[in-house]
């Protein structure tokens, strides 16, 4: 199956209209656009549609599309039904179901027939696009002074716990299973893979070469969504004179994350992971050296499969990816609600960790408060290219919201504003599209009621909010805003890296690093709407030495390798903090495999530490606090024995 991006605005409007059961009618104001000073008419869609969104971590996000062998282009969707029976009954010719779970289904639908086919789905109440997500490249580090000595972190286990008997599932860009840290060797030097399963959702090796096993989900027409390799098949390939399995991580991000969580240090003991004896499941959802994870829309199906193959063993799923496409930053996305149901608080021996994201300085969020026409709000932005954004309001009175626009001469007519209502939350939001330039949108309330607004930019390079409205808050990415996700931020713990000449000190964000401080890029919360604590915890994220593919990979342009070439010594980001947290959870689950997810969350919240850097916690930057070495020790000591 080939992939390509489909125009985001068109797909969004098609889906909104399909769920609403009528043709899209974008509001264009009195003169076909929202010109400066003009009042806009309201086109309110009260039936199901899509949430708001902003840009992904590193590139423009779009709905994920699949080009079938028959030339038909499909769009990936997450559906929510009114009840489980309606979801189970979904059987519309043309809608291909990847997976179902209770009242949720992950599907793909021919783009040309979206409105017709979804209109036939009885009981459908909401649909979100399966938007592409991205693995953020590690923020660059340059030589610079440092204030403070590197903090000690957990490597090789703690309190006699090494993760033995626990599964760490890393859903990412893949994993180089040939790296020594993911292998054990017997006395004769024969290798055995530590990877229980590697599901490469991007590989056609099963269909084309008969390698591995068929995946648990299929494309339209029945072709396997990738190839699944079991431990015995990976081990056989490791021992083969002529290996047949190709590259399983072209980017490097997933290999690094798996190494932080569970590398065993075979290549270099000082770079051992947190839980070196844990078993590993790797799921590759991105098939290129680039940052896009084109199969991230399968996360629900992946979690269901991990649960099935774990066969009752305790496990933790680590997801160091996310984005802002179609996200209201409030946990209301269909896939987030599905993940909440898959990881209930009472479930024993399972946990889910998701990265908060690395866009704290990117200017993707703006906020304003307004009332009457005499007290308008102001959302100002500058863009080097056409931009799309979502504006969410703390009001459900759509007819009460109007706006004025300040725009460069001649460009006001090209700004389009479409008003929608989210069927699950009742929120009113605007879809705004604008050309390149500097604009200020000034919303106001006809009745004079005080209203707040949060705006998010949807993937436009060179675009950011400016002035007083720019607010680095409430911007944890999706699916990290899921209620049940343990969302992880990053703090700075190490500035010393190994080089061919010894060691070097590097800074962060163009300045010296302060050991113990929040990483400059770590996305802050809280969650929009209900102010729920996001991130939950902040873990060591900058800088890690982590396993790296043995061959060249996409992230080589962003990181430094150690002299052996087997480790990236500047791997960082909330991407690095997340598997660290997952490794700690694996240690706790070894001590007590019957811990419920609710107990795990409670242990993290109670054990996380506050200090002069965090201030009083919980707060929007640090969550419940730091998962530093003292916090890990306190957590493991607090775990009740089975």
């Amino acid at each position: 199956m080939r992939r390509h991006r489909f125009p985001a605005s068109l797909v969004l409007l098609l889906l909104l209209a399909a769920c609403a059961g009528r043709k899209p009618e974008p509001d264009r104001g009195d003169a076909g656009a929202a010109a400066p000073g003009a009042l806009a008419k309201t086109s309110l869609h009260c039936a199901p549609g899509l949430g708001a969104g902003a840009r992904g971590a590193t590139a423009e996000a779009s709905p994920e599309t699949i080009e079938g062998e028959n030339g038909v282009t499909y769009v990936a969707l997450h559906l929510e039904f009114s009840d489980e029976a309606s979801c189970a009954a979904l059987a519309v010719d043309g809608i291909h179901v990847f997976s179902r779970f209770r009242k949720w289904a992950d599907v793909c639908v021919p783009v040309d027939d979206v409105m017709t086919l979804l209109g036939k789905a009885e009981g459908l109440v909401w649909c979100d696009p399966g938007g592409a997500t991205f693995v953020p490249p590690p923020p660059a580090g340059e030589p610079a002074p440092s204030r403070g000595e590197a903090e000690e972190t957990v490597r090789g286990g703690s309190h006699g716990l090494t993760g033995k008997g626990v599964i760490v599932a890393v859903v990412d860009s893949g994993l180089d299973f040939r790296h020594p840290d993911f292998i054990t060797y017997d006395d004769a030097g024969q290798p055995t893979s530590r990877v229980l399963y590697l599901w490469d959702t991007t590989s056609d090796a099963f269909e084309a070469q008969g390698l591995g096993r068929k995946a648990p989900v299929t494309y339209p027409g029945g072709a396997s969504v990738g190839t699944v390799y079991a431990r015995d098949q990976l081990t056989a390939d490791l021992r083969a004179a002529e290996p047949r399995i190709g590259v399983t991580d072209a980017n490097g991000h997933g290999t690094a994350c798996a190494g932080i969580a569970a590398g065993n240090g075979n290549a270099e003991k000082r770079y051992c992971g947190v839980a070196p004896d844990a078993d590993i499941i790797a799921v590759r959802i991105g098939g290129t050296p680039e940052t896009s994870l084109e199969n991230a829309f399968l996360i629900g199906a992946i979690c269901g499969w991990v649960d099935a193959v774990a066969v009752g063993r305790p496990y933790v799923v680590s997801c160091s990816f996310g984005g802002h496409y179609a996200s209201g930053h409030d946990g209301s996305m269909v896939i987030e609600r599905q993940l909440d149901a898959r990881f209930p608080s009472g479930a024993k021996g399972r946990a889910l960790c998701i990265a908060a994201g690395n866009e704290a300085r990117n200017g993707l969020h703006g906020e304003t408060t307004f009332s009457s026409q005499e007290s308008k709000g102001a959302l100002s932005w500058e863009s080097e290219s056409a931009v799309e954004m979502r504006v969410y309001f703390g009001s459900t009175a759509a007819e009460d919201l109007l706006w004025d626009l300040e725009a460069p001469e001649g460009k006001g007519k090209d700004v389009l504003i479409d008003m929608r209502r989210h069927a699950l939350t009742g929120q009113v939001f605007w879809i705004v599209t604008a050309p390149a330039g500097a604009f200020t949108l000034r919303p106001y309330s006809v009745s004079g009621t005080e209203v707040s607004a949060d705006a998010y930019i949807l993937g436009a390079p060179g675009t950011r909010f400016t002035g007083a409205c720019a607010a680095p808050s409430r911007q944890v990415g999706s699916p990290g805003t899921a209620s049940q996700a343990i969302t992880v931020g990053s703090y700075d713990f190490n500035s010393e890296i190994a080089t061919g000449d010894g060691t070097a000190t590097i800074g962060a964000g163009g300045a010296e690093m302060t050991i113990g401080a929040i990483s400059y890029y770590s996305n802050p919360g809280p969650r929009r709407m209900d102010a729920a604590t996001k991130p939950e915890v902040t873990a060591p994220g900058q800088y890690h030495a982590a396993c790296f593919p043995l061959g060249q990979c996409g992230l080589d342009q962003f990181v430094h390798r150690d002299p052996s070439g087997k480790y990236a010594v500047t791997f960082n980001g909330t991407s690095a903090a997340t598997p660290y947290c997952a490794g700690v959870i694996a240690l706790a689950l070894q001590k007590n495999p019957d811990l419920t997810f609710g107990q795990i969350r409670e242990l993290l919240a109670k054990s996380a530490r506050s200090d002069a850097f965090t201030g009083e916690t919980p707060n929007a930057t640090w969550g419940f606090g730091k998962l530093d070495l003292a916090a890990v020790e306190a957590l493991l000591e607090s775990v009740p024995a089975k």
Side-chain angles (χ1 to χ4, degrees), residues 155-156 177-186 189-194 238 259 262-273 276-277 547 550 562 564 566-567:
R155 287 193 178 275
F177 72 97
R178 302 183 193 284
H179 193 288
D181 284 18
F182 306 128
I183 299 171
T184 59
Y185 297 89
D186 63 19
Q190 283 282 78
T192 297
S193 180
R194 295 180 54 220
L238 289 172
N264 66 11
N266 265 343
E268 178 61 69
K269 285 300 180 186
R270 61 176 170 159
Y271 297 149
C272 191
D277 288 331
C547 300
L550 301 182
D562 80 325
S564 76
K566 295 182 175 69
Y567 296 91

Side-chain angles (χ1 to χ4, degrees), residues 26-41 403 405 407 410-418 433 435:
D27 174 45
R28 297 173 184 269
D30 289 332
L39 302 184
K41 293 186 293 185
W403 70 86
L405 180 70
K411 289 192 173 184
K413 60 183 176 55
D414 297 321
V415 177
L416 306 179
I417 300 180
D418 184 31
T433 56

Side-chain angles (χ1 to χ4, degrees), residues 15-397:
L15 291 172
L16 281 159
C19 291
R22 57 176 173 174
K23 295 180 181 179
E25 299 174 352
D27 174 45
R28 297 173 184 269
D30 289 332
L39 302 184
K41 293 186 293 185
T42 300
S43 174
L44 179 62
H45 292 240
C46 298
L50 300 176
R55 63 181 164 186
T58 60
E60 183 172 355
S62 301
E64 187 57 42
T65 57
I66 303 164
E67 187 173 343
E69 295 175 358
N70 55 2
V72 176
T73 299
Y74 298 84
V75 61
L77 304 174
H78 302 298
L79 308 182
E80 181 167 337
F81 291 82
S82 57
D83 51 49
E84 189 170 344
S86 296
C87 183
L90 174 64
V92 176
D93 188 25
I95 297 180
H96 178 77
V97 179
F98 291 113
S99 63
R100 305 176 210 247
F101 182 73
R102 298 182 185 171
K103 62 179 182 178
W104 295 276
D106 304 319
V107 307
C108 66
V109 183
V111 168
D112 292 342
D113 297 323
V114 168
M115 290 188 287
T116 300
L117 295 177
L118 291 186
K120 297 178 180 179
E122 296 292 333
L124 177 63
V125 296
W126 194 256
C127 61
D128 280 330
T133 58
F134 300 87
V135 287
E142 300 296 336
S146 174
R147 285 184 284 178
E149 296 183 1
E151 286 188 9
E152 184 180 355
T153 57
V154 177
R155 287 193 178 275
S158 179
H159 288 61
L161 302 167
T162 58
K164 189 174 182 62
V166 181
I167 297 169
V168 175
V170 178
V171 185
D172 211 289
S173 66
L175 177 144
D176 183 356
F177 72 97
R178 302 183 193 284
H179 193 288
D181 284 18
F182 306 128
I183 299 171
T184 59
Y185 297 89
D186 63 19
D187 292 340
Q190 283 282 78
T192 297
S193 180
R194 295 180 54 220
V195 180
L196 281 179
Y197 294 97
L198 194 167
W199 178 9
D200 186 342
T201 69
T202 72
S203 168
D204 67 352
F206 173 77
E207 295 285 351
Q209 304 174 58
L211 295 179
R213 304 176 182 179
K214 189 170 185 175
V217 297
T218 62
Y219 286 116
S224 178
V225 179
T227 302
V228 176
Y229 301 103
R231 171 180 278 170
D232 58 341
Q233 295 163 322
L234 296 171
T235 297
D237 207 68
L238 289 172
R239 297 178 180 182
E242 297 183 4
R244 298 182 64 196
I245 299 175
V247 172
T248 50
D249 184 7
N251 178 270
H253 194 272
T255 298
C257 290
I260 291 170
N264 66 11
N266 265 343
E268 178 61 69
K269 285 300 180 186
R270 61 176 170 159
Y271 297 149
C272 191
V274 178
D277 288 331
D279 286 319
I280 300 167
I281 290 177
V283 184
R284 183 186 188 187
I285 55 174
T288 73
E290 308 306 321
T291 59
S292 177
L293 298 177
E294 65 268 24
N295 286 345
F297 69 90
L298 292 170
I299 184 61
I302 289 167
C303 288
W305 173 75
V306 168
D307 190 68
V309 298
V311 196
R313 291 177 58 185
Y315 66 86
V316 53
V317 179
S318 180
C319 300
S320 290
F321 61 85
H324 304 273
Y325 181 78
S327 172
H329 299 79
D330 58 3
S332 66
M333 289 194 72
V334 170
I335 191 58
E336 293 176 320
R337 292 160 64 87
Q338 181 188 148
L339 290 174
D340 289 342
R342 288 186 180 275
F343 290 87
S345 295
K348 292 183 177 181
R350 73 178 73 165
L352 173 66
C353 296
I354 300 178
N358 296 345
E359 300 91 10
R361 287 189 180 180
N362 287 16
L364 63 84
H365 173 234
E367 63 182 14
T368 189
T369 301
F370 57 90
S371 54
S372 67
Q373 193 168 7
E374 289 70 39
S375 300
K376 299 184 185 75
L379 292 170
S380 301
W381 70 91
E382 295 178 352
S383 177
E384 298 174 0
S385 59
V387 64
E388 186 174 333
M389 67 181 68
R390 301 288 183 274
V391 185
Y392 270 89
F393 297 95
S395 169
T396 58

Side-chain angles (χ1 to χ4, degrees), residues 588 590-595 599 636-642:
Q590 179 188 356
K591 184 174 180 181
N592 187 343
D594 289 336
L595 284 176
Q599 288 175 311
L636 295 177
E637 290 168 2
S638 300
V639 173
K642 182 178 178 181

